[in-house]
Amino acid sequence: MIKKIDHIGIAVKSLDEAVKFYEKALGLKCEKIEEIESQKVKTAFFDVGGVHLEILEPTTEDSPIAKFLQRNGEGVHHIAFYTDDISGQLGQAKEAGCKLINEEPVPGAGGKKVAFLHPKSTHGVLTEFCSKE
Ligand code: ZN
């Protein structure tokens, strides 16, 4: 079952510049910066009342975030829902006709497991499920 919105992913060209913006213009505090090799991104996290901002900078030319930036420029990249049953959630979405990017959960930020649904099957929003399991 989905418990809450865990985080909102935002694609940026420069993590340093974006962190400066969120700290200086919005007064938020960067919690941590983490590189996720499997996703080819460097991320910065901000806690906004329990919902996080996950700022994403590509680490390689073929990173999914690099491709997103080429197509769309900077902006909202995905919304992540926290679930207590990521496999069950994927099964439910598949049964409802969604196109899964990950048939099985993969390692994500903060030691979580993550899986994505294709935006073409979710009304345009790249949708992530994440869980601690
Ligand atoms: Zn995410």
Side-chain angles (χ1 to χ4, degrees), residues 3-84:
K3 299 295 184 183
K4 64 169 191 171
I5 290 179
D6 187 80
H7 62 269
I8 297 167
I10 298 169
V12 302
K13 291 178 197 154
S14 162
L15 203 66
D16 288 347
E17 293 299 316
V19 166
K20 264 184 227 159
F21 162 75
Y22 284 101
E23 289 193 331
K24 293 213 164 95
L26 273 64
L28 298 169
K29 176 103 186 70
C30 180
E31 288 179 287
K32 63 170 175 176
I33 290 180
E34 183 181 347
E35 189 166 334
I36 307 157
E37 271 181 55
S38 64
Q39 312 277 336
K40 299 174 180 170
V41 291
K42 199 160 91 174
T43 68
F45 287 90
F46 292 87
D47 185 352
V48 189
V51 176
H52 295 78
L53 298 180
E54 181 184 68
I55 315 300
L56 302 152
E57 179 196 89
T59 53
T60 64
E61 294 277 308
D62 64 339
S63 162
I65 298 300
K67 288 176 193 157
F68 178 89
L69 287 170
Q70 279 162 20
R71 274 199 310 268
N72 309 289
E74 295 185 306
V76 172
H77 177 258
H78 67 275
I79 296 181
F81 296 93
Y82 188 84
T83 172
D84 56 4

